[in-house]
Amino acid sequence: MTQEQAKKEILELTDRINYYNDLYYQESVSEISDFEFDQLLERLISLEKQYPEYNFSDSPSHRVGGTITKNFETVIHKYPMLSLGNTYSEEELLDFDKRVIKGLEGDAPEYFCELKFDGVALSLTYENGVLVQAVTRGDGTKGDNITANAKTIRTIPLKLKGDDIPQEFEVRGEAFMPSAVFKLLNEQRAANGEELLANPRNTASGTLKMQDSAVVAARKIDCYMYNLLGAEKNIKTHEASIKTIESWGFNVSPTYKLCKSISEVLDYIKEWEEKRKTLPVDTDGIVIKVNSLDHQEILGFTAKSPRWAIAYKYKTESASTILKDITYQVGRTGAITPVAELEPVLLAGTTVKRASLHNANEIARLDIRIGDTVYVEKGGEIIPKVTGVDTTFRKSDSKEHIYITHCPECGSELVREESEASHYCPNTENCPPQITGRILHFIHRKAMDIDSMGEQTIKLLYTEGLVKNIGDLYNLKYEQVVQLEGFKELSSKNLIDGIAKSKEAPFENVLFGMGIRFVGRTVAEKLVACFKNIDALMSASLEELMEVPEIGERIAQSLVSYFNNPKNRVLIEKLKDAGLNFEINEDDYQLAGDSLKDMSFVISGVFEKYGRDELKELIKSHGGKVVSSISAKLDYLVAGEKMGPAKLEKAAKLNIKIISEAEFDKMINL
Ligand code: IVH
């Protein structure tokens, strides 16, 4: 292939991929299969590798990441990134309006209202319609160049649409992690025994500073833009600039409104107070901007913020109470979580007694001390958090809290890896909550599904010396159980039967149940599909493991070290002897048929005949694929009872076939 031919093919591929991408992301339509699309992309990536001079900065290949940034370059902002003044009441807002009118010598301003998105401010520079740089806010004067990571955000255009695009300009906005993505990420982390992430904002911020842009791509960050700078076009109002950037292809939240007066602004504030909670992104207030750019220029700036804009912050439900103690919890992976033990206080309808303090850094940041008066809030997260300390009530003899150095359960000295925020108890073998935590994970519904057993029973079996690891469960005898406190004949029989039945669980459930760090349910399924049996998996090298799609070095490393531990090998032998499934049952899959071959399904709601996992298994065993979200590429939505209206609406809009449980049965000839 000549240079010219390569360039020609790269440009053709770029156009085709951009065309399919636009169609998919803007109109939810796909004209080619995922497979064909991936092939086009792979071809482009391979040509760009061979001919790096044609790896253009707006190439769609940058969306999937792969660039590693070791150190983010510091960039000085051409226009400083200022902050906004805050108001918390109607009164303060009316004062702002008065100041504006005075500044405009009596002229009545129009206000443009937007929601205040709780994310990370980004500044994007475009030259000749192509994204050339993305920089974080940093300290407002200089930020980090995170261009490779920003390119993985699907809603940031790499190349703009339209023919009236200025030669160079900046667009600013907020990158954020959608609440649903955050929730899912934390659910996966909980299932993997990983430390939970505190909130979507910090997660978005941490994600954009990751070195590997492929990991950023997988995190599904989104972005809303709200400011155009240096465009030097004939634009007279903020509203016109927003409409202009929208027309160029930027993602603008449709929640904005032009208000003729401050009283309309107050209506907007009321309108969004509750409604904002239904948005895909966390918001903590609204931003009010004087609409006319001439007016903005007259009003100008203070040292820190514009005089033509202000933020109105909604009140978060918070309460103050006394911190009675700080206790420490030990998770199944040995991770230590400090917990604030509070004087009970009523907050948003529930009594709060405990709040998470996350880790040692958070305790140091808050400088929280026992006896302090503290503020607790309920954010988007389920567990309330301590947001601050009121030091005016602090006694003069109060002492800085010293973080524990030894495990509160087993006394081992704690360790803390450089890259981790949490301390860990290294005594995996003998630390009681780690042992019982691992057993609890093993009997989980998505693992061995032993529902005749709960946390209390596990603790009892452990303290009675009957079960010390998951392998011991299969040696348990009815005669031993029936002697335990609280157990009668029937409950003992149920327990033993439940354990025996769990031996039928498929290999992926067993692998997930083993509780290997970072091996969640989805990862377990991928490994099983690839290696088919435990011996092949155990003998795989780090490199072989990393060849499995979506298995990165962190997971591969964790698997290698788990299987290198002789104690784990003994445990696996014990489980094998007990008769657990350690290989894929290919017969099952072949026998079931291929009536759903190449079809994709989303399952939603509750079903009469099947459990959700059962339904998933049926789809897979008939050649179909189960996906988690509704897109135009989806073939069927299997709708059960209590399914959310939003999903139904989306599926209907995209013309997806919606089928009942009975219709599904017909498809697999049941
Ligand atoms: S305008 C001169 N609009 O709030 C300031 N900011 O406190 C221009 N933010 O750093 C900012 N949503 O990160 C603006 N609709 C919105 C916003 C918004 C969130 C953030 C932004 C900024 C901070 C200012």
Side-chain angles (χ1 to χ4, degrees):
M1 180 178 264
T2 65
Q3 290 266 12
E4 266 317 293
Q5 282 168 329
K7 185 177 174 191
K8 185 163 172 277
E9 192 178 341
I10 285 180
L11 291 175
E12 277 169 8
L13 281 165
T14 301
D15 278 352
R16 281 188 71 191
I17 293 171
N18 281 341
Y19 167 78
Y20 294 128
N21 258 339
D22 283 357
L23 209 61
Y24 183 69
Y25 285 101
Q26 279 158 31
E27 288 162 48
S28 301
V29 174
S30 56
E31 287 179 354
I32 57 170
S33 69
D34 284 2
F35 178 72
E36 285 167 304
F37 183 85
D38 290 345
Q39 282 200 319
L40 293 179
L41 199 59
E42 268 171 34
R43 173 78 184 148
L44 177 63
I45 293 170
S46 108
L47 281 175
E48 285 174 346
K49 265 197 194 132
Q50 281 176 59
Y51 299 92
E53 63 274 36
Y54 302 132
N55 186 347
F56 301 109
S57 82
D58 60 345
S59 167
S61 66
H62 300 179
R63 290 281 195 221
V64 289
T67 312
I68 307 287
T69 314
K70 281 271 176 259
N71 291 306
F72 294 99
E73 170 206 6
T74 305
V75 176
I76 298 178
H77 294 297
K78 187 165 170 189
Y79 314 93
M81 289 183 82
L82 301 173
S83 56
L84 289 168
N86 288 325
T87 55
Y88 297 90
S89 66
E90 200 173 305
E91 210 183 353
E92 286 176 289
L93 208 56
L94 295 175
D95 285 345
F96 165 75
D97 182 48
K98 279 189 202 135
R99 284 197 302 276
V100 168
I101 297 174
K102 195 171 166 208
L104 299 176
E105 296 175 348
D107 244 9
E110 279 184 338
Y111 291 113
F112 194 83
C113 292
E114 294 164 7
L115 278 148
K116 189 166 188 298
F117 311 107
D118 202 6
V120 185
L122 277 189
S123 189
L124 310 175
T125 305
Y126 285 78
E127 280 173 18
N128 303 313
V130 173
L131 173 70
V132 290
Q133 187 171 271
V135 185
T136 60
R137 179 177 185 276
D139 63 3
T141 310
K142 52 187 184 329
D144 290 323
N145 184 344
I146 53 143
T147 312
N149 287 346
K151 281 184 179 175
T152 69
I153 301 176
R154 296 276 167 178
T155 44
I156 291 184
L158 301 181
K159 192 175 187 172
L160 303 178
K161 297 188 289 191
D163 41 28
D164 192 19
I165 293 167
Q167 206 255 326
E168 192 193 327
F169 63 92
E170 283 185 36
V171 168
R172 290 180 177 171
E174 205 80 357
F176 60 87
M177 173 167 277
S179 329
V181 176
F182 175 75
K183 192 165 164 261
L184 200 70
L185 187 64
N186 255 353
E187 278 169 12
Q188 284 167 352
R189 290 175 76 95
N192 291 356
E194 290 176 68
E195 195 184 342
L196 294 192
L197 298 159
N199 58 51
R201 203 197 72 80
N202 291 359
T203 311
S205 163
T207 303
L208 289 174
K209 296 288 287 292
M210 284 175 155
Q211 293 188 344
D212 183 352
S213 61
V215 181
V216 183
R219 284 267 180 110
K220 299 197 172 68
I221 301 287
D222 205 338
C223 199
Y224 282 142
M225 307 315 289
Y226 47 66
N227 203 4
L228 171 65
L229 282 165
E232 289 178 13
K233 284 194 73 210
N234 196 19
I235 294 175
K236 300 257 180 274
T237 61
H238 180 67
E239 183 189 33
S241 69
I242 288 296
K243 299 230 152 120
T244 305
I245 62 170
E246 238 177 336
S247 77
W248 289 340
F250 288 100
N251 197 30
V252 173
S253 165
T255 49
Y256 60 73
K257 187 171 180 215
L258 181 64
C259 296
K260 300 279 175 210
S261 65
I262 199 76
S263 87
E264 283 190 29
V265 172
L266 295 173
D267 291 343
Y268 179 87
I269 292 177
K270 284 202 190 74
E271 181 189 340
W272 283 100
E273 174 140 28
E274 280 306 310
K275 224 163 86 179
R276 70 195 173 102
K277 295 175 187 158
T278 62
L279 293 173
V281 48
D282 281 357
T283 55
D284 58 353
I286 67 162
V287 181
I288 301 128
K289 300 173 181 174
V290 169
N291 192 37
S292 152
L293 299 190
D294 283 345
H295 280 168
Q296 288 190 4
E297 201 177 321
I298 296 169
L299 292 162
F301 298 85
T302 69
K304 280 191 277 176
S305 52
R307 288 200 189 87
W308 45 262
I310 203 149
Y312 174 88
K313 294 280 201 80
Y314 286 113
K315 284 191 191 68
T316 40
E317 290 201 67
S318 90
S320 76
T321 185
I322 306 287
L323 177 73
K324 291 197 301 186
D325 197 4
I326 295 177
T327 56
Y328 294 87
Q329 275 180 355
V330 186
R332 79 173 156 88
T333 57
I336 308 287
T337 308
V339 178
E341 303 287 345
L342 306 164
E343 195 66 63
V345 61
L346 202 62
L347 175 64
T350 51
T351 304
V352 174
K353 293 183 195 140
R354 311 178 87 204
S356 169
L357 287 168
H358 301 295
N359 51 48
N361 294 345
E362 182 67 358
I363 291 182
R365 188 184 72 80
L366 291 166
D367 179 25
I368 191 171
R369 302 174 184 196
I370 292 167
D372 272 350
T373 299
V374 298
Y375 295 109
V376 277
E377 263 179 33
K378 260 193 183 168
E381 308 92 62
I382 310 139
I383 314 161
K385 62 180 176 193
V386 176
T387 52
V389 176
D390 189 344
T391 48
T392 46
F393 298 107
R394 184 175 276 172
K395 296 210 178 79
S396 56
D397 60 354
S398 111
K399 285 189 191 66
E400 197 180 309
H401 182 74
I402 313 262
Y403 206 80
I404 50 166
T405 51
H406 290 76
C407 177
E409 301 283 345
C410 72
S412 304
E413 191 174 349
L414 300 181
V415 290
R416 189 187 198 179
E417 299 287 333
E418 220 172 273
S419 59
E420 307 235 15
S422 289
H423 287 72
Y424 281 83
C425 166
N427 184 14
T428 28
E429 298 300 323
N430 296 307
C431 179
Q434 294 192 52
I435 297 170
T436 52
R438 282 197 294 268
I439 301 171
L440 194 62
H441 173 77
F442 184 70
I443 66 161
H444 190 275
R445 195 173 49 81
K446 289 187 174 176
M448 308 310 282
D449 194 17
I450 310 180
D451 63 2
S452 51
M453 190 181 256
E455 191 171 356
Q456 293 316 318
T457 307
I458 293 174
K459 284 189 177 154
L460 185 64
L461 291 169
Y462 173 70
T463 46
E464 291 297 324
L466 293 173
V467 175
K468 290 203 188 63
N469 61 43
I470 53 180
D472 291 343
L473 286 176
Y474 296 94
N475 296 339
L476 208 57
K477 304 271 177 307
Y478 169 86
E479 294 72 30
Q480 294 171 313
V481 178
V482 81
Q483 284 176 21
L484 295 173
E485 203 185 317
F487 274 85
K488 300 228 166 66
E489 284 168 20
L490 189 63
S491 48
S492 307
K493 185 176 177 306
N494 281 345
L495 184 67
I496 297 293
D497 288 352
I499 295 173
K501 188 162 187 303
S502 77
K503 293 180 188 175
E504 291 164 22
F507 180 26
E508 58 267 33
N509 290 38
V510 179
L511 185 60
F512 168 60
M514 280 156 61
I516 305 170
R517 213 163 168 222
F518 309 130
V519 179
R521 182 62 222 200
T522 320
V523 169
E525 279 172 27
K526 297 218 154 79
L527 292 168
V528 166
C530 212
F531 292 97
K532 313 264 194 276
N533 63 60
I534 192 81
D535 296 323
L537 180 62
M538 275 165 59
S539 54
S541 66
L542 190 74
E543 292 71 28
E544 282 164 343
L545 288 165
M546 282 169 66
E547 273 168 26
V548 180
E550 288 169 56
I551 306 289
E553 190 172 350
R554 196 182 59 141
I555 302 175
Q557 193 66 62
S558 166
L559 283 158
V560 168
S561 67
Y562 183 90
F563 292 129
N564 274 345
N565 182 340
K567 290 208 170 109
N568 291 333
R569 287 179 170 261
V570 170
L571 179 65
I572 291 169
E573 281 311 312
K574 190 165 172 181
L575 294 174
K576 267 186 184 173
D577 290 345
L580 269 61
N581 284 317
F582 277 101
E583 59 184 11
I584 197 167
N585 192 345
E586 302 221 49
D587 288 350
D588 275 2
Y589 283 89
Q590 278 160 19
L591 276 179
D594 62 357
S595 54
L596 309 181
K597 192 161 182 276
D598 294 336
M599 297 176 190
S600 58
F601 293 81
V602 161
I603 301 175
S604 188
V606 189
F607 298 91
E608 216 172 278
K609 187 167 156 192
Y610 303 119
R612 288 166 67 94
D613 288 336
E614 220 176 331
L615 205 50
K616 279 188 193 167
E617 281 307 313
L618 272 174
I619 293 171
K620 283 195 260 173
S621 63
H622 286 79
K625 194 168 77 179
V626 182
V627 295
S628 55
S629 62
I630 298 176
S631 74
K633 292 181 185 171
L634 180 70
D635 295 308
Y636 293 97
L637 169 69
V638 194
E641 292 275 318
K642 295 190 194 148
M643 153 170 194
K647 268 197 177 163
L648 266 181
E649 206 177 296
K650 188 165 179 197
K653 213 165 132 194
L654 294 173
N655 272 332
I656 308 287
K657 290 187 205 86
I658 302 170
I659 55 167
S660 66
E661 201 174 4
E663 284 167 310
F664 173 80
D665 271 354
K666 276 193 201 140
M667 290 176 75
I668 54 169
N669 297 322
L670 274 184

